[in-house]
């Protein structure tokens, strides 16, 4: 009898443990773990190593501040780059060198772009009399510096165009606060202290801040007063993080549906933390109005004529579009709102909706034309701005042709990836540049 009772007790304990494990598993399945950066700082040992090891394994030489990588960007890419991926995945922003051989494009398709485009240089002959043309890799975006992953500083611009931020110091933490101190509060303010951060504030499914807790800034972007260690307080940011929301799944092919990021307000001003307002005043041979207080409240505004044209423009020669389906991710716009409710509603209900004054004051901003990280095209542009056409005879590329005035050295695979796998059939077979999505007055 005693033996049976003890056996029964052991069986009961085992059953309780199994039940507890099943419950925990169910909870984990129904509430997936937050990412390493959940709006605030991640675990310290994710980036730093106290004794040059983690879980008994040596992590290498490491860098300053006990970083696991030789520098800040190298530390970030320990997680944000991975080998042998079949395509774009979650939080990855870079493709390894061995996977971007001649003719092969980088794999990641996040809204910011894959940094590996910085390592792709293209050459071509535009015609039989012109010299060989070149699109150097360093011209394809922000040249972050990483000793461990082979990213070099900009060799042409020693400082940020229009500003004084040193190119030698450009890294992931030049824009993103690695410790995630910037938080959005219930009243809409962004501070570096106050209520605890409960979650990321980057996504359309992110919770709202409340009276007891805050959420992280968009993409952990730094704000007023921020300057990475070693850069110097004289370069501290002036403007706060932008108001924006992204869908939870944003790094993906856009072959069948586009990825919409709801840019609310403040993006151009935030870029001016480094580019300081001079980049578009004509000093660099180019001038284009953008949204933001530094340019004046209305310089980048899409007026009624431009809004109507954006909504009606489908492709070269086709103005049959409607506001409900006008949005194209290659030419995003700023909604002109600070309301997260409006942005969530657009992403959840009308992600293809064009500019609408009922939502805010729609405007052109820096990311209307550029990607934040890098792209297949010069200046990190969303489309090839160096040619009159982005398609010729139904192709983005002129692969195999002796002269390539439009394809400009890209293979079809590279060009298609540069347009985020949006099919050529989305546009006219001889599609002109996408400036025309806003500019009805340009000659066509």
């Amino acid at each position: 009898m005693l033996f049976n009772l003890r056996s029964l007790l052991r069986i009961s304990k085992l059953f309780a443990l199994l039940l507890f494990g099943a419950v925990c598993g169910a909870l984990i399945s129904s509430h997936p773990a937050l990412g390493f950066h959940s709006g605030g700082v991640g675990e310290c040992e994710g980036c730093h190593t106290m004794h040059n090891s983690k879980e008994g394994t040596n992590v290498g030489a490491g860098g300053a501040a006990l970083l696991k990588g030789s520098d800040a960007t190298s530390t970030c890419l320990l997680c944000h780059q991975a080998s042998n991926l079949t395509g774009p995945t979650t939080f990855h922003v870079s493709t390894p060198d061995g996977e971007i051989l001649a003719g092969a494009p980088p794999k990641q398709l996040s809204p910011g772009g894959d940094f590996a485009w910085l390592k792709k240089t293209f050459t071509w002959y535009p015609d039989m009399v012109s010299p060989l043309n070149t699109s150097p890799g360093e011209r394809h975006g922000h040249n972050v510096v990483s000793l461990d992953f082979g990213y070099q500083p900009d060799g042409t611009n020693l400082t940020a165009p229009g500003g004084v931020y040193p190119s030698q110091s450009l890294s992931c933490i030049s824009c993103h606060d690695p410790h995630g101190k910037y938080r959005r509060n219930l009243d809409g303010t962004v501070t570096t202290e106050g209520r605890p951060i409960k979650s990321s504030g980057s996504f359309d499914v992110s919770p709202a801040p409340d009276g007891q807790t805050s959420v992280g800034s968009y993409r952990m972007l730094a704000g007023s007063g921020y300057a990475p260690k070693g850069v110097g307080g004289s370069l501290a940011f002036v403007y706060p993080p932008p108001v924006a929301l992204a869908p939870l799944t944003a790094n993906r092919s856009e072959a069948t549906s586009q990825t919409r990021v709801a840019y609310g307000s403040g993006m151009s001003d935030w870029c001016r933390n480094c580019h300081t307002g001079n980049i578009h005043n004509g000093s660099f041979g180019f001038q284009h109005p953008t949204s933001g207080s530094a340019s004046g409240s209305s310089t980048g505004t899409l007026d009624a004529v431009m809004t109507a044209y954006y909504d009606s423009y489908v492709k070269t020669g086709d103005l049959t579009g409607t506001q409900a389906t006008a949005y194209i991710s290659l030419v995003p716009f700023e909604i002109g709102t600070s309301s997260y409710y409006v942005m969530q509603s657009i992403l959840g209900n009308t992600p293809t909706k064009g500019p609408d004054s009922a939502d805010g004051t729609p405007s052109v901003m820096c990311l209307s034309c550029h990607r934040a990280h890098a792209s297949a095209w010069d200046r990190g542009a969303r489309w090839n701005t160096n040619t009159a056409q982005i398609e010729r005879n139904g192709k983005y590329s002129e692969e195999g042709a002796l002269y390539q005035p439009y394809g400009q050295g890209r293979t079809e695979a590279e060009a298609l990836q540069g347009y985020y796998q949006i099919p050529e059939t989305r546009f006219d077979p001889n599609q002109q540049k996408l400036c025309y999505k806003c500019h009805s007055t340009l000659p066509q």
Side-chain angles (χ1 to χ4, degrees):
M1 181 67 180
L2 181 61
F3 173 78
N4 291 337
L5 180 59
R6 287 176 177 171
S7 298
L8 182 61
L9 287 172
R10 283 197 294 267
I11 292 171
S12 298
K13 288 180 180 179
L14 178 60
F15 176 77
L17 288 171
L18 291 172
L19 180 61
F20 177 75
V23 170
C24 289
L27 288 173
I28 291 172
S29 297
S30 60
H31 296 85
L34 292 172
F36 173 73
H37 297 295
S38 56
V41 66
E43 58 178 277
C44 299
E45 67 176 14
C47 300
H48 303 274
T49 171
M50 183 64 98
H51 298 294
N52 199 38
S53 66
K54 181 179 181 182
E55 298 174 356
T57 302
N58 186 283
V59 298
L66 298 174
L67 290 174
K68 289 186 174 182
S70 296
D71 46 62
T73 296
S74 295
T75 302
C76 295
L77 291 180
L78 289 172
C79 289
H80 290 280
Q81 176 176 298
S83 300
N84 300 317
L85 298 174
T86 58
T89 52
T90 58
F91 48 79
H92 297 110
V93 298
S94 176
T95 302
D97 291 359
E99 299 175 27
I100 53 169
L101 302 178
K107 295 179 179 179
Q108 303 308 317
L109 294 171
S110 72
D114 192 317
F115 281 111
W117 288 112
L118 298 168
K119 299 178 180 179
K120 301 283 292 186
T121 291
F122 305 104
T123 58
W124 69 95
Y125 286 101
D127 52 54
M128 66 168 30
V129 296
S130 299
L132 185 70
N133 280 206
T134 303
S135 175
E138 72 164 17
R139 299 271 59 81
H140 296 158
H142 283 99
N143 288 270
V144 291
V145 180
S146 169
L147 179 63
D148 299 347
F149 291 84
Y151 285 104
Q152 303 296 321
D154 191 325
T156 303
N157 298 303
L158 300 182
T159 61
V164 295
Y165 198 97
S167 299
Q168 291 278 351
S169 300
L170 185 63
S171 71
C172 297
I173 67 169
S174 296
C175 298
H176 304 274
D177 174 17
H179 294 137
K181 293 186 294 183
Y182 288 85
R183 66 203 70 197
R184 173 164 54 92
N185 304 310
L186 178 61
D187 62 0
T189 60
V190 175
T191 60
T192 56
E193 55 187 20
R195 306 292 185 187
I197 297 174
K198 65 179 176 181
S199 177
S200 169
S202 298
F203 306 108
D204 57 338
V205 295
S206 295
D210 53 43
Q212 287 72 46
T213 56
S214 300
V215 297
S217 65
Y218 179 69
R219 299 296 193 191
M220 292 177 64
L221 294 177
S224 306
Y226 177 79
K229 186 176 180 180
V231 172
S234 63
L235 297 178
F237 284 12
V238 174
Y239 299 102
V243 175
L245 288 176
L248 192 59
T249 302
N251 187 6
R252 64 186 183 93
S253 167
E254 298 185 28
T256 57
S257 61
Q258 297 180 80
T259 298
R260 172 78 180 264
V261 176
Y263 297 107
S265 61
M267 181 56 74
S268 294
D269 275 348
W270 184 82
C271 293
R272 290 187 185 95
N273 282 315
C274 288
H275 296 287
T276 63
N278 295 325
I279 192 170
H280 285 313
N281 69 354
S283 299
F284 286 82
F286 176 73
Q287 187 169 359
H288 195 289
T290 58
S291 63
S293 58
S295 291
S297 60
S298 63
T299 55
T301 299
L302 292 173
D303 60 25
V305 173
M306 296 179 75
T307 295
Y309 199 75
Y310 187 105
D311 287 342
S312 64
Y313 185 93
V314 177
K315 57 187 176 182
T316 296
D318 185 346
L319 298 177
T320 63
T322 63
Q323 185 185 79
T325 58
Y327 180 82
I328 179 171
S329 65
L330 296 177
V331 194
F333 57 91
E334 199 164 70
I335 300 166
T337 182
S338 60
S339 170
Y340 286 86
Y341 171 79
V342 170
M343 292 185 293
Q344 285 177 317
S345 177
I346 289 173
L347 290 181
N349 301 320
T350 54
T352 60
K353 183 182 181 182
D356 185 351
S357 59
D359 297 326
T361 304
S363 301
V364 175
M365 41 105 193
C366 298
L367 297 188
S368 294
C369 301
H370 305 277
R371 293 199 182 273
H373 294 164
S375 79
W377 323 110
D378 289 357
R379 296 173 291 276
R382 290 177 178 265
W383 68 89
N384 191 350
T385 60
N386 292 336
T387 177
Q389 294 178 201
I390 65 170
E391 276 194 48
R392 187 179 189 184
N393 298 325
K395 292 290 185 180
Y396 290 134
S397 164
E398 294 171 289
E399 182 177 358
L402 183 60
Y403 306 115
Q404 301 182 14
Y406 301 109
Q408 298 190 332
R410 281 78 172 171
T411 63
E412 185 63 20
E414 289 168 328
L416 181 63
Q417 191 80 343
Y419 289 111
Y420 277 46
Q421 299 182 7
I422 296 174
E424 295 97 329
T425 53
R426 163 65 176 77
F427 301 111
D428 185 84
N430 292 296
Q431 175 67 35
Q432 295 181 322
K433 64 177 65 177
L434 295 177
C435 302
Y436 295 109
K437 182 63 172 167
C438 294
H439 293 286
S440 62
T441 57
L442 292 176
Q444 295 196 62

